[in-house]
Amino acid sequence: MDVGARFAVLGELPEIAELVATATETLRPQRGGELWFELHARQPPVEAGLREAFDNDRVAVVVGCIDDCIVGYAIANEQPLHGGAAIASITDLFVLNDARGVGVGAAIMEHVTQWARQRNLIGIDSLALPGDRVTKNFFESSGMVARAISVYRPLEY
């Protein structure tokens, strides 16, 4: 079994769009998922937004593979900071359940990290929903630490 990650090609857009749909179905029912969906999730038409990512030289679209089968993806944006430096902001990172635990996510993170280093970015940032221990633990195993806690209160009328 060959596990790895690489930059995606435009012809893989339909496969990535399917992964986006699966990721959304997975995250939306979680605690905080509905507001995540409204604020951060890729909205339909997903393929149009993905095409924009492919066309932007400040965005990395990465796929994770087992052998030649795409089983995960990530999208990272170069995010400028006020002081002039920039970070890589991972907006999407997802691996199919059946492909977890064999290093696909780690390969994707390594590929994003190398992309960020080549661009002289000073860090990598992402988001995990509250209570999503698997995602939190994955990011921590990649050397990331929490830098903020986002809080929310719905208003009742």
Side-chain angles (χ1 to χ4, degrees), residues 6 18 22-23 34 44 52 55 61 65 69 73 75 83 86 91 98 104 106-107 114-115 128 135 141-142 149 155-156:
R6 59 175 172 74
E18 285 183 33
T22 303
E34 195 58 42
E52 288 179 20
D55 292 340
V61 181
C65 302
C69 184
Y73 81 103
I75 299 176
T91 59
D98 292 346
V104 175
Q114 290 307 315
W115 172 80
T135 300
S141 73
S142 298
I149 296 174
L155 299 177
E156 297 177 22

Side-chain angles (χ1 to χ4, degrees), residues 83-106:
I87 61 170
S89 178
I90 299 173
T91 59
D92 301 54
L93 194 148
F94 181 75
V95 175
L96 292 170
N97 278 340
D98 292 346
R100 293 181 181 173
V102 296
V104 175

